[in-house]
Structures are given as C-alpha cells and as structure tokens.
Amino acid sequence: MKRIVFLGPPGAGKGTQAAGVARELGIPHLSTGDILRAAVASGSPLGQEADGYMRAGKLVPDELIFKIVGERLARPDTRSGFLFDGFPRNLAQAETLERLTPIDRVISFEVEPEELVRRLSERRTCPKCQATYHLTFQPPKAAGKCDRDGTALLQRPDDRPEAVAERLRVYAKQTAPLLDFYRQRKLLAPVNGSGTPEAVAKRIRDALR
Ligand code: AP5
C-alpha cells in the first residue's frame, strides 16, 4: 500500500497525519496546498496566480494543479510510491490522476463540521517549515514560536472565518463526490478522524494494512 491519497474536508487532520505515514512508508508526502503556499511565498508566477483563489477559499484552476502534479510525479522519488494530501479535489482531478497512475488506497477522514471549525480557527502554521500547531490541542512549546526552527507562527489567510466557510462549501460541492468515485472503485477506506492524533494515526495504519 504505497500509492495513497488522503481525502477529507479542511481541518480534518490530513497534513498532521501525512508526514508520519509518509516517513514510516518511505514515500514522499505530496501536498498541493504546501506546494502552492511555497509558490505564493516565493512570489513566483504560479504563486501570484494561485494567491487570490486560496485567500478566498476557492479551488485553484485545474490547469495549474495538473502542471504541479505532473511535474511532481515525474520526479524519481515517486517510483516507490507517494502520499497525496489535498489532491485530487474534484472529479476532473480524480480522472486525471487515474490516467497518470494506479492508486492503492484512499483514506477518507471523517470529522464533524463543528470540530473542523474548532480545529481551523486555532491552527497556527510555521511559514518556514510548514509545521502545524493548534493553540489548544497541539500548542508549541514556546508561545507563538515553531518548535523546530523558532520562526514566528502565523494564521493562514484562509483560516479566517469567511474563507473557512467557503472552503467547507467547496468541499461539500466539489470534493465530497469523490467519496462515491473511489467507493465504486473499491479503493475507499473511511477513517474516523476524531480523538487524539495518536488514535487517528493507529486507525490509518490499520486501514493501510
Ligand atoms: P490545503 O492546504 O490542502 O488545505 P485543506 O485541504 O483545506 O486542508 P487543511 O490543510 O486546512 O487541513 P488538514 O486536513 O491538513 O488539517 P491539519 O492537519 O492542518 O489547501 C489549501 C488551498 O490550496 C485550497 O483551499 C485551494 O485553494 C488550494 N488547493 C490545494 N490543493 C488543491 C487542488 N488539488 N486543487 C485546487 N486547489 C487546491 O489540522 C488542522 C488543525 O487541527 C491543526 O491545527 C492541527 O494541529 C489540529 N489537529 C489535527 N488533528 C487533530 C486531532 N486529532 N485532534 C485535535 N486537533 C487536531
């Protein structure tokens, strides 16, 4: 099980879990969100184009995503497998991925909407290494600073309430239909994303056996 997709609403814990799973399996963690945020931070043409969509909580146009994913999958480290986090996000993206590579398993994170909002409203992120914290559930050791590199933590612009509401709407309309898409292909493994990160990690490991 080394060609994996993490599917789930914003704030479900995909990024929190993906790093550990990818490390254990020796596969790269491919987060389209992280790639886009790095592009925004660098001011590249891709970042300039993506920024407005991301701030508003909307999906970045498929052509940009296909370019990122095609380039990333062409790199040799994906030969042993990969963990996609945040891709695919609509039917066109799922169909494109199907043409590019087989998938072994799709882990879908199930978390109640109120819990998603609670997680996103208190999330803080390190702009340098992308590490993620939660002011209540996973606070940094020193207030406001990244444990790994001491950088000042920020709130993602799309974690503000208006953008969160739009992201949840976009998920329900465009991404949730992928649950049926992958269920029909017998690839879907639903995982309860509530409880401690350790409890969720164990459920994911079991689902990948
Ligand atoms: P992306 O970065 O992919 O964001 P997302 O899917 O909205 O997911 P999040 O990163 O918000 O949540 P997560 O599930 O990773 O949760 P996390 O682990 O951080 O995409 C951002 C934007 O980029 C999109 O809106 C879009 O504009 C664009 N984009 C990206 N990919 C695209 C694509 N394929 N097509 C088009 N556009 C694309 O956890 C959240 C919080 O909860 C954290 O604070 C964490 O500490 C805490 N937490 C985690 N687990 C637990 C737990 N078990 N208990 C308590 N707290 C927990």
Side-chain angles (χ1 to χ4, degrees), residues 31-151:
S31 159
T32 42
D34 283 351
I35 295 170
L36 289 166
R37 277 184 290 278
V40 171
S42 76
S44 69
L46 166 66
Q48 288 176 24
E49 200 168 343
D51 193 24
Y53 295 101
M54 294 174 77
R55 280 177 187 278
K58 301 199 182 301
L59 293 189
V60 170
D62 286 345
E63 312 79 70
L64 296 181
I65 300 295
F66 293 152
K67 191 159 179 290
I68 293 174
V69 167
E71 283 173 9
R72 193 59 192 84
L73 274 180
R75 280 165 54 181
D77 63 343
T78 61
R79 275 188 213 133
S80 54
F82 48 79
L83 194 171
F84 270 118
D85 160 12
F87 174 84
R89 256 178 147 94
N90 60 25
L91 277 174
Q93 294 185 9
E95 284 162 357
T96 298
L97 180 61
E98 197 167 50
R99 283 194 291 275
L100 289 173
T101 173
I103 296 289
D104 298 317
R105 182 92 11 127
V106 176
I107 302 287
S108 77
F109 287 65
E110 299 185 336
V111 178
E112 293 299 319
E114 309 77 56
E115 174 71 8
L116 298 174
V117 172
R118 204 173 311 134
R119 288 184 184 183
L120 291 174
S121 60
E122 289 192 46
R123 172 164 60 184
R124 295 294 181 271
T125 309
C126 173
K128 190 168 173 200
C129 72
Q130 308 284 338
T132 293
Y133 301 87
H134 187 280
L135 296 180
T136 306
F137 303 133
Q138 287 182 302
K141 292 193 184 101
K145 300 233 168 86
C146 179
D147 291 352
R148 293 190 205 160
D149 50 39
T151 305

Side-chain angles (χ1 to χ4, degrees), residues 178-191:
L178 299 188
L179 296 172
D180 266 346
F181 180 92
Y182 286 119
R183 197 176 292 119
Q184 282 160 13
R185 285 157 177 75
K186 305 204 184 317
L187 294 174
L188 193 73
V191 164

Side-chain angles (χ1 to χ4, degrees), residues 161-194:
E162 326 75 69
V164 166
E166 179 61 13
R167 286 161 66 203
L168 291 171
R169 270 194 295 274
V170 167
Y171 176 81
K173 194 158 174 221
Q174 303 197 48
T175 311
L178 299 188
L179 296 172
D180 266 346
F181 180 92
Y182 286 119
R183 197 176 292 119
Q184 282 160 13
R185 285 157 177 75
K186 305 204 184 317
L187 294 174
L188 193 73
V191 164
N192 176 358
S194 313

